[in-house]
Amino acid sequence: MRVLVTAGPTREYLDDVRYISNASSGRMGYAIVTALQQAGHTAVLVSGPVDLAPPVGCEFHAVESTSQMMEACQELFPGCEGVIAAAAVCDYQPLKRVRGKLSKSGEPISLEMIETDDVLATLGREKRPDQWIVGFALEAQNERENALQKLRRKNCDWIVLNRPTAIGAESNTVELIDPDGDVVADWSGPKSEVSRSLVDWVLQNRGSSANSR
Ligand code: C5P
């Protein structure tokens, strides 16, 4: 089976040398790729810039901006059975990218930002009945409620709820939520172990999610 995985942060440039991004290490997504490969599947990795080497044997697509991630995912998703979207995509991008380098003027400046396109919501709209989608939700308050809203908005079969302590960390504590809002599994431990449990669970239960019934 071929599974698309998104990982790492995206970058949104203000000018040719400065960008807005986040502290995602990409570890969770890369661990998911390894877990898929260990389970005998083909992983197609679309990754923002991280300090990790792509797992040997995966199909690797390096991207930088959210729009590049969108383009790669829209091209690759039709050839995959499912997607696990672990990327920490920038929610906002500067309205305009300045060519060259913004100079200091001695005055405060303000930056106008617009929302980026939502890669996962787009895949959710394009999803065929035989495909499945697992999203991630990083939540600091009203966690389960917010995660469920995201699952529904993005047409996911399951969503992995984790918390801000996951960012850049070696381990993670997650809950897996289904479209009814039920917590169907929870795991805690090194990201490699959590990834193995998640991959096993999804591969065993795909085709039986409330969204594919
Ligand atoms: O809306 P939020 O960013 O919290 O949603 C998280 C989920 O949506 C993650 O699976 C993330 O990879 C995905 N996402 C995306 N494109 C965006 C924002 C989030 O694919 N622009």
Side-chain angles (χ1 to χ4, degrees):
M1 183 181 25
R2 275 166 75 80
V3 179
L4 179 62
V5 178
T6 70
T10 56
R11 290 179 179 170
E12 300 303 332
Y13 279 85
L14 280 63
D15 61 19
D16 287 348
V17 293
R18 303 183 182 94
Y19 56 79
I20 291 179
S21 190
N22 60 66
S24 165
S25 65
R27 277 200 198 106
M28 195 69 209
Y30 279 54
I32 290 167
V33 166
T34 301
L36 282 163
Q37 297 188 142
Q38 284 170 349
H41 302 286
T42 302
V44 181
L45 172 60
V46 175
S47 176
V50 295
D51 288 336
L52 304 170
V56 175
C58 79
E59 190 184 309
F60 181 62
H61 300 264
V63 298
E64 199 171 12
S65 66
T66 306
S67 64
Q68 288 168 354
M69 184 169 278
M70 176 73 90
E71 199 181 324
C73 287
Q74 281 191 283
E75 193 185 316
L76 294 163
F77 187 50
C80 295
E81 191 181 298
V83 56
I84 303 181
V89 183
C90 281
D91 290 327
Y92 288 93
Q93 66 186 78
L95 176 62
K96 277 190 250 149
R97 173 175 172 161
V98 173
R99 294 289 148 209
K101 183 174 174 251
L102 271 166
S103 312
K104 280 196 285 188
S105 66
E107 298 293 324
I109 58 163
S110 55
L111 194 60
E112 200 170 351
M113 306 277 282
I114 53 169
E115 273 189 32
T116 53
D117 290 330
D118 194 310
V119 179
L120 191 56
T122 304
L123 300 184
R125 282 192 294 275
E126 296 175 355
K127 167 182 177 296
R128 299 187 308 261
D130 62 321
Q131 289 178 304
W132 49 264
I133 293 187
V134 178
F136 270 70
L138 187 82
E139 303 296 336
Q141 62 267 319
N142 298 328
E143 292 100 333
R144 287 183 187 157
E145 206 177 300
N146 290 347
L148 180 59
Q149 275 178 19
K150 279 179 193 172
L151 176 154
R152 290 184 175 153
R153 199 166 62 239
K154 299 177 195 230
N155 197 22
C156 298
D157 295 273
W158 296 283
I159 197 151
V160 180
L161 167 61
N162 56 12
R163 298 183 167 75
T165 47
I167 288 277
E170 292 284 352
S171 58
N172 204 354
T173 296
V174 309
E175 290 178 352
L176 190 66
I177 295 177
D178 76 0
D180 297 324
D182 293 331
V183 177
V184 291
D186 59 275
W187 303 289
S188 188
K191 287 181 176 175
S192 55
E193 277 173 29
V194 171
S195 297
R196 271 198 291 276
S197 305
L198 172 66
V199 162
D200 286 351
W201 201 97
V202 169
L203 297 181
Q204 269 170 33
N205 291 279
R206 68 191 203 273
S208 68
S209 94
N211 269 352
S212 62
R213 264 180 236 143

